Amino acid sequence: MNISPDGESHSTISKPKEDASQTTECSQPKTMCQKIWENHVVHAPEGEQTLLYIDLHLIHEVTSPQAFEGLRLAGRTVRRPDKTIATPDHNVPTTDRSLPIIDQIAKQQIETLRQNCKEFGVRIFDLDDIRQGIVHIIGPELGLTLPGMTIVCGDSHTATHGAFGSIAFGIGTSEVEHVLATQTLPQFYPKTFELGIEGELSPGVTAKDLVLYLIGQIGTAGGTGYIFEYTGSVIRSLSMEERMTVCNMSIEAGARAGLIAPDQVTYDYIRGREFAPENFDEAVAQWKKLPTDVGATYDRSEKFFAEDIAPQITWGTNPGQVVDVNAKIPSPGDYSDEVDQKSAAQSLEYMGLSAGSSWQEVEVDRVFIGSCTNARIEDLRAAAAVVKGYKISSNVQAMVVPGSGQVKKEAEEEGLDNIFQEAGLEWREPGCSMCLAMNPDKLEAGERCASTSNRNFEGRQGRGGRTHLVSPATAAAAAISGHFVDVREWNYK
Amino acid sequence: MKPFTKMTGVVATMDRANVDTDQIIPKQFLKRIERTGFGKFLFFDWRYLDNHDLNPKFELNRPEFSGASILVTRRNFGCGSSREHAVWALTDYGFQVILAPTFADIFFNNCFNNGALPIALSEDEIETIFQKVEQNEGYQLTIDLEKQEISGDGGLSFSFEVDPFRRHCLLNGLDKISLTLEQEEKILAYEKAHDPSL
């Protein structure tokens, strides 16, 4: 929510009034972002950051220990433990949970989270709880994530929760400590960027392909300083899980948050979940006021067309380096900008790819289906449909890591675990796993992976590992074929 | 937090764009539960060879960059993961100032919360500094936050802008949590207005 890292002064940005009641019913039309922002202003001193109230704070084992230690040293408490939820996810093993954790440092970090939650009275969904899982998967799944909220977490993929029409963004550990101590966070009013996507996605083109395409179009830093709002007929047609996949990767285009207006799809998803509001109809009436008003303006708007979007594969070492499955792998000379040319050359070298080759020639060693981007039940169904009746290529090792205990249970009730295992894919316990490879699930140097995760940075999945970001269906098809294919031509059994 | 007013230091250059926080501090070092001691793991995968010897090809291992406290790099520095460990690693290594055309949002925020100063300059100004460093071994810059000026030998002089509130906090080494807690009445009033059960 900064607006200065790109060198622009925030003084040119219009700032909402401190007190929403000062504006009348017939006042200027507002964006959804503006409405949520105004509902959370605690204090807006002139020329300083606005103090925003935070409705939900999600924490995990990796970015919270130093924050709790800070509280302890200052003699502070957690102001609202009732608005704080913890779960271990980043470095938990995905193998048999009944066995002890071998990595002693990881074990200590998980144990530290438990102790901190106990000491400060924070609710934790621990490894023995079916509600444990990747923090961005369990928030929505439990009905904790609701429209109109402000949500933060010490994790950049907090943008996921924006799919419900909430301002949700990742923060650093100092800010985690700030929220624990005060339930507020000082923020600058962000710029807004509307990404309108019209038309209809073709069969075989998924929400993951859509968001990878958008990142490719606007670039890995194209959204810096902005909050995205995704609009248009394509977004309206997506399920909640697909919307979460789109919002999840907003940060990969540089935007800290990405929003989608709540609608009937949203309300139907939330209704009946464990922590959903008791007075549900009343809540829905409030949520219906959130969408951006007709006539409201964004700082920037771009239109995209679903017909232009094919299955996507990243070829480089940032998520903006992405092309269609039928495109050739680009060459540095395809870029006009000198910095981009150099980046492309560095990426191709690291990835061990030759410019001009086709994706069918690129063989994979590993396949990872999981992460906060693509480890919900619909993702697993899509991958299972592809592998059903097939065996994975003899050169490939593949794993499926469900996003939460509840996703795992649901998948097993549907028999997806059997479909995966019969095809030769490993079926694991929930966690972040090889998305960031903090736990033992990682690539060896030189290994090439088709991954449904969100980052293809150098070494992200293991030092020297080569990551290609794809949809669950494309990843599953690569596991069977041993190389990338156009999943639109897949022969489903 | 220690106040930041004015400093002079050796400049190290890193000619790469989109340097992400996974590179700045790889994940295997995020398991630690302290804020300190991350400097030796900074840029680990680039900085060290497989046998843990220093990689002679990596920019920061150039002998003339020894003791550098100002890092100059290309656009979108600090993208990706929100890990504040990236800033802890940079400051623990000795960097107090980072100059780049643009920064990623979360990283940019994290710097200010740790007394480090990220400064956005134009692509041309960054290029000028790259050239100065190539032409003058051990090239130093002076960063004056009070005056918002960068100066160095050979007549180099650039002005820069930092948001006034962030600048004020850095100059005075203010603790943001203490500042917010001064608004306790307003926080309480907000909570009462939004949750009548309180």
Side-chain angles (χ1 to χ4, degrees), chain B residues 90-109:
Chain B
L90 286 160
T91 54
D92 190 53
Y93 181 87
F95 288 118
Q96 298 171 53
V97 176
I98 302 150
L99 307 173
T102 55
F103 294 90
D105 280 338
I106 304 177
F107 175 83
F108 190 76
N109 253 341

Side-chain angles (χ1 to χ4, degrees), chain A residues 1-2 4-7 10 39-43 47-49 51 53 62-63 65-66 76 79-80 91 103 105-106 108-109 112 154-156 170-175 177-178 181-182 184 186 188 220-221 224-225 251 254 256 318 337 339-340 342-343 346 436-438 455 457-463, chain B residues 15-18 20-23 27-35 38 44-50 52 74-76 79-85 88 100-106 108-110 113-114 120 123 161 163-166 175-178 180-181 183-184 186-188 190-191 194-195 198:
Chain A
M1 281 192 220
N2 307 303
S4 357
D6 54 2
H10 66 273
N39 286 340
H40 290 85
V41 173
V42 171
H43 180 46
E48 294 181 25
Q49 291 172 307
L51 196 62
Y53 199 78
V62 175
T63 58
Q66 296 87 352
R76 290 170 178 146
R79 182 184 177 86
R80 294 298 297 266
N91 67 28
D103 181 339
I105 312 173
Q108 187 199 8
Q109 203 172 44
T112 302
D155 186 278
S156 60
I171 56 177
T173 297
S174 296
E175 293 172 309
E177 184 180 340
H178 196 117
T182 70
T184 66
F188 287 116
T220 187
T224 303
I251 184 69
R256 275 178 83 185
N318 73 58
D337 178 277
V339 174
D340 289 341
K342 193 168 177 203
S343 285
Q346 284 168 346
L436 83 165
M438 274 191 79
R455 287 191 174 130
F457 298 152
E458 281 186 34
R460 169 83 176 180
Q461 295 191 295
R463 186 174 184 172
Chain B
D15 191 8
R16 302 178 196 233
N18 301 312
D20 58 75
T21 54
D22 272 81
Q23 301 314 321
K27 67 270 177 178
Q28 62 266 39
F29 308 111
L30 306 186
K31 295 173 189 169
R32 305 172 78 248
I33 56 174
E34 303 86 20
R35 269 176 196 263
F38 286 94
F44 188 87
D45 287 355
W46 287 342
R47 195 166 141 204
Y48 299 100
L49 300 170
D50 288 343
H52 289 196
R74 302 294 183 182
R75 67 181 74 144
N76 197 30
C79 60
S81 160
S82 62
R83 57 188 72 167
E84 197 161 313
H85 311 65
W88 299 336
T102 55
F103 294 90
D105 280 338
I106 304 177
F108 190 76
N109 253 341
N110 288 343
N113 287 331
N114 289 278
E123 300 257 0
E161 269 190 60
D163 161 72
F165 179 63
R166 285 195 172 114
D175 166 24
K176 276 200 177 164
I177 297 179
S178 302
T180 296
L181 288 174
Q183 305 302 328
E184 171 61 24
K186 289 199 170 74
I187 300 173
L188 205 56
Y190 179 94
E191 288 180 325
H194 289 79
D195 186 356
L198 283 173

Side-chain angles (χ1 to χ4, degrees), chain A residues 324-347:
Chain A
D324 289 4
V325 62
N326 291 317
K328 301 286 181 201
I329 290 166
S331 111
D334 296 344
Y335 296 87
S336 53
D337 178 277
E338 207 180 309
V339 174
D340 289 341
Q341 286 174 1
K342 193 168 177 203
S343 285
Q346 284 168 346
S347 295

